[in-house]
Amino acid sequence: MSAGKKTYAQDGEEARRIAQYLPYFPFKGIPRFYDIGGFLEKPEVFQQIVDIFVERYGEIGIDSVAGLDARGFILGPPIALALKKPFLMMRKQGKMPNAISSDEYNTEYGKRSGLTVQRDKIKKGDRVLIIDDLVATGGTLSSAINLVHMLGGKVVECACVVELKMFIDPSEESGLPSRTKLFTSQKIENVPVWGLISEDVMNVEASLPEGYVDDGEEH
């Protein structure tokens, strides 16, 4: 690593400070739904997150940045611009012309149709960084990884601000879906996933107004 560069660890000093701007809400039937809107309204915190990712991936080396619909569209472009790399969108079906689709996949909210990407955005051998706000079960990331592979690219890493470690390899007794088993079943277990912050340090409960209602679209 170049002199003066810093290695950022999950739940390290910087991550713990940023975690103070990631409150959780009861939402979509989930007791702890983490809201990135908390740091988006703090330009200095948002900038710090971008800077951390830029430093990490400037060292690793990538050809393009792929953001996942929809929060990856917020996080990905400033990172891509700073790295001077192309940004490409991975969208829900029916939103872009000249697109290919991955198979449907499961998330913590239920089954989803596959993501899509335009056919000419990834070339054989391209080193692609996938960006999203949060990884839980890994279903959405698996869909994105498969899209890159379908076009002959290589996923350098999947990068998220938040990683919920409880889903990495839970016990059978927990009843939770396993990201490890999902990735293994799809033969993508060698694709690394990195999250800056885990649930271990996200302990800020949102202050809810009187009469708060969980009005999430999916339960």
mmCIF file of all heavy atoms in Angstrom, residues 152-172:
data_model
loop_
_atom_site.group_PDB
_atom_site.id
_atom_site.type_symbol
_atom_site.label_atom_id
_atom_site.label_comp_id
_atom_site.label_asym_id
_atom_site.label_seq_id
_atom_site.Cartn_x
_atom_site.Cartn_y
_atom_site.Cartn_z
ATOM 1 N N GLY A 152 -19.162 -11.539 -19.026
ATOM 2 C CA GLY A 152 -17.739 -11.836 -19.072
ATOM 3 C C GLY A 152 -16.868 -10.986 -18.176
ATOM 4 O O GLY A 152 -15.634 -11.034 -18.273
ATOM 5 N N GLY A 153 -17.482 -10.196 -17.298
ATOM 6 C CA GLY A 153 -16.709 -9.360 -16.390
ATOM 7 C C GLY A 153 -16.345 -10.091 -15.108
ATOM 8 O O GLY A 153 -16.780 -11.225 -14.865
ATOM 9 N N LYS A 154 -15.543 -9.443 -14.302
ATOM 10 C CA LYS A 154 -15.118 -9.969 -13.008
ATOM 11 C C LYS A 154 -15.523 -8.979 -11.918
ATOM 12 O O LYS A 154 -15.275 -7.779 -12.048
ATOM 13 C CB LYS A 154 -13.598 -10.162 -12.967
ATOM 14 C CG LYS A 154 -13.044 -10.533 -11.595
ATOM 15 C CD LYS A 154 -11.521 -10.619 -11.626
ATOM 16 C CE LYS A 154 -10.928 -10.816 -10.239
ATOM 17 N NZ LYS A 154 -11.391 -12.060 -9.603
ATOM 18 N N VAL A 155 -16.174 -9.472 -10.875
ATOM 19 C CA VAL A 155 -16.531 -8.612 -9.750
ATOM 20 C C VAL A 155 -15.342 -8.541 -8.801
ATOM 21 O O VAL A 155 -14.965 -9.536 -8.181
ATOM 22 C CB VAL A 155 -17.781 -9.128 -9.011
ATOM 23 C CG1 VAL A 155 -18.099 -8.222 -7.819
ATOM 24 C CG2 VAL A 155 -18.978 -9.197 -9.958
ATOM 25 N N VAL A 156 -14.747 -7.372 -8.705
ATOM 26 C CA VAL A 156 -13.596 -7.181 -7.818
ATOM 27 C C VAL A 156 -14.040 -7.288 -6.357
ATOM 28 O O VAL A 156 -13.375 -7.931 -5.539
ATOM 29 C CB VAL A 156 -12.951 -5.805 -8.078
ATOM 30 C CG1 VAL A 156 -11.862 -5.512 -7.056
ATOM 31 C CG2 VAL A 156 -12.406 -5.741 -9.493
ATOM 32 N N GLU A 157 -15.174 -6.648 -6.051
ATOM 33 C CA GLU A 157 -15.724 -6.706 -4.702
ATOM 34 C C GLU A 157 -17.131 -6.131 -4.734
ATOM 35 O O GLU A 157 -17.472 -5.341 -5.614
ATOM 36 C CB GLU A 157 -14.845 -5.914 -3.728
ATOM 37 C CG GLU A 157 -15.103 -6.200 -2.260
ATOM 38 C CD GLU A 157 -13.933 -5.792 -1.385
ATOM 39 O OE1 GLU A 157 -13.756 -4.582 -1.125
ATOM 40 O OE2 GLU A 157 -13.184 -6.697 -0.951
ATOM 41 N N CYS A 158 -17.942 -6.542 -3.767
ATOM 42 C CA CYS A 158 -19.231 -5.908 -3.511
ATOM 43 C C CYS A 158 -19.047 -5.040 -2.270
ATOM 44 O O CYS A 158 -18.672 -5.549 -1.214
ATOM 45 C CB CYS A 158 -20.318 -6.943 -3.258
ATOM 46 S SG CYS A 158 -20.647 -8.043 -4.644
ATOM 47 N N ALA A 159 -19.283 -3.748 -2.400
ATOM 48 C CA ALA A 159 -19.024 -2.811 -1.314
ATOM 49 C C ALA A 159 -20.325 -2.188 -0.832
ATOM 50 O O ALA A 159 -21.125 -1.703 -1.638
ATOM 51 C CB ALA A 159 -18.068 -1.718 -1.781
ATOM 52 N N CYS A 160 -20.520 -2.208 0.475
ATOM 53 C CA CYS A 160 -21.723 -1.653 1.078
ATOM 54 C C CYS A 160 -21.332 -0.813 2.295
ATOM 55 O O CYS A 160 -20.333 -1.092 2.952
ATOM 56 C CB CYS A 160 -22.679 -2.757 1.518
ATOM 57 S SG CYS A 160 -23.207 -3.850 0.176
ATOM 58 N N VAL A 161 -22.120 0.198 2.571
ATOM 59 C CA VAL A 161 -21.885 0.971 3.786
ATOM 60 C C VAL A 161 -22.160 0.100 5.003
ATOM 61 O O VAL A 161 -21.408 0.106 5.973
ATOM 62 C CB VAL A 161 -22.760 2.237 3.813
ATOM 63 C CG1 VAL A 161 -22.541 3.015 5.113
ATOM 64 C CG2 VAL A 161 -22.483 3.125 2.606
ATOM 65 N N VAL A 162 -23.238 -0.687 4.935
ATOM 66 C CA VAL A 162 -23.655 -1.515 6.070
ATOM 67 C C VAL A 162 -23.671 -2.987 5.678
ATOM 68 O O VAL A 162 -24.199 -3.347 4.618
ATOM 69 C CB VAL A 162 -25.066 -1.106 6.564
ATOM 70 C CG1 VAL A 162 -25.550 -2.049 7.666
ATOM 71 C CG2 VAL A 162 -25.056 0.338 7.046
ATOM 72 N N GLU A 163 -23.105 -3.831 6.525
ATOM 73 C CA GLU A 163 -23.185 -5.276 6.362
ATOM 74 C C GLU A 163 -23.831 -5.867 7.612
ATOM 75 O O GLU A 163 -23.322 -5.686 8.725
ATOM 76 C CB GLU A 163 -21.805 -5.894 6.172
ATOM 77 C CG GLU A 163 -21.864 -7.422 6.050
ATOM 78 C CD GLU A 163 -20.500 -8.072 5.873
ATOM 79 O OE1 GLU A 163 -19.504 -7.520 6.370
ATOM 80 O OE2 GLU A 163 -20.454 -9.135 5.223
ATOM 81 N N LEU A 164 -24.954 -6.553 7.425
ATOM 82 C CA LEU A 164 -25.597 -7.237 8.546
ATOM 83 C C LEU A 164 -24.989 -8.631 8.663
ATOM 84 O O LEU A 164 -25.324 -9.541 7.914
ATOM 85 C CB LEU A 164 -27.112 -7.300 8.331
ATOM 86 C CG LEU A 164 -27.813 -5.935 8.227
ATOM 87 C CD1 LEU A 164 -29.320 -6.115 8.114
ATOM 88 C CD2 LEU A 164 -27.468 -5.037 9.413
ATOM 89 N N LYS A 165 -24.084 -8.781 9.616
ATOM 90 C CA LYS A 165 -23.315 -10.017 9.756
ATOM 91 C C LYS A 165 -24.163 -11.205 10.188
ATOM 92 O O LYS A 165 -23.761 -12.352 9.997
ATOM 93 C CB LYS A 165 -22.166 -9.806 10.742
ATOM 94 C CG LYS A 165 -21.164 -8.745 10.293
ATOM 95 C CD LYS A 165 -19.933 -8.719 11.179
ATOM 96 C CE LYS A 165 -20.269 -8.365 12.600
ATOM 97 N NZ LYS A 165 -19.064 -8.242 13.445
ATOM 98 N N MET A 166 -25.328 -10.932 10.752
ATOM 99 C CA MET A 166 -26.187 -12.012 11.233
ATOM 100 C C MET A 166 -26.607 -12.959 10.106
ATOM 101 O O MET A 166 -26.982 -14.100 10.349
ATOM 102 C CB MET A 166 -27.442 -11.437 11.907
ATOM 103 C CG MET A 166 -28.408 -10.770 10.948
ATOM 104 S SD MET A 166 -29.911 -10.151 11.751
ATOM 105 C CE MET A 166 -29.285 -8.644 12.480
ATOM 106 N N PHE A 167 -26.515 -12.463 8.841
ATOM 107 C CA PHE A 167 -26.929 -13.276 7.699
ATOM 108 C C PHE A 167 -25.762 -13.986 6.999
ATOM 109 O O PHE A 167 -25.992 -14.705 6.038
ATOM 110 C CB PHE A 167 -27.663 -12.410 6.670
ATOM 111 C CG PHE A 167 -28.986 -11.878 7.146
ATOM 112 C CD1 PHE A 167 -29.113 -10.542 7.497
ATOM 113 C CD2 PHE A 167 -30.095 -12.702 7.248
ATOM 114 C CE1 PHE A 167 -30.330 -10.034 7.937
ATOM 115 C CE2 PHE A 167 -31.317 -12.210 7.689
ATOM 116 C CZ PHE A 167 -31.428 -10.872 8.039
ATOM 117 N N ILE A 168 -24.529 -13.774 7.463
ATOM 118 C CA ILE A 168 -23.394 -14.374 6.761
ATOM 119 C C ILE A 168 -23.455 -15.896 6.828
ATOM 120 O O ILE A 168 -23.413 -16.582 5.813
ATOM 121 C CB ILE A 168 -22.054 -13.868 7.329
ATOM 122 C CG1 ILE A 168 -21.898 -12.367 7.060
ATOM 123 C CG2 ILE A 168 -20.885 -14.632 6.687
ATOM 124 C CD1 ILE A 168 -20.636 -11.764 7.666
ATOM 125 N N ASP A 169 -23.550 -16.436 8.010
ATOM 126 C CA ASP A 169 -23.595 -17.896 8.166
ATOM 127 C C ASP A 169 -24.327 -18.265 9.452
ATOM 128 O O ASP A 169 -23.737 -18.809 10.384
ATOM 129 C CB ASP A 169 -22.171 -18.469 8.185
ATOM 130 C CG ASP A 169 -22.165 -19.988 8.017
ATOM 131 O OD1 ASP A 169 -23.173 -20.543 7.537
ATOM 132 O OD2 ASP A 169 -21.144 -20.612 8.375
ATOM 133 N N PRO A 170 -25.631 -17.955 9.533
ATOM 134 C CA PRO A 170 -26.384 -18.208 10.759
ATOM 135 C C PRO A 170 -26.594 -19.695 11.003
ATOM 136 O O PRO A 170 -26.527 -20.509 10.078
ATOM 137 C CB PRO A 170 -27.718 -17.501 10.499
ATOM 138 C CG PRO A 170 -27.863 -17.535 9.002
ATOM 139 C CD PRO A 170 -26.469 -17.387 8.464
ATOM 140 N N SER A 171 -26.861 -20.035 12.242
ATOM 141 C CA SER A 171 -27.131 -21.434 12.586
ATOM 142 C C SER A 171 -28.478 -21.860 12.016
ATOM 143 O O SER A 171 -29.348 -21.033 11.734
ATOM 144 C CB SER A 171 -27.149 -21.600 14.105
ATOM 145 O OG SER A 171 -28.248 -20.892 14.669
ATOM 146 N N GLU A 172 -28.638 -23.152 11.839
ATOM 147 C CA GLU A 172 -29.922 -23.683 11.352
ATOM 148 C C GLU A 172 -31.052 -23.314 12.304
ATOM 149 O O GLU A 172 -32.179 -23.034 11.890
ATOM 150 C CB GLU A 172 -29.825 -25.208 11.207
ATOM 151 C CG GLU A 172 -28.880 -25.680 10.113
ATOM 152 C CD GLU A 172 -29.418 -25.424 8.717
ATOM 153 O OE1 GLU A 172 -30.637 -25.192 8.587
ATOM 154 O OE2 GLU A 172 -28.616 -25.441 7.760
#
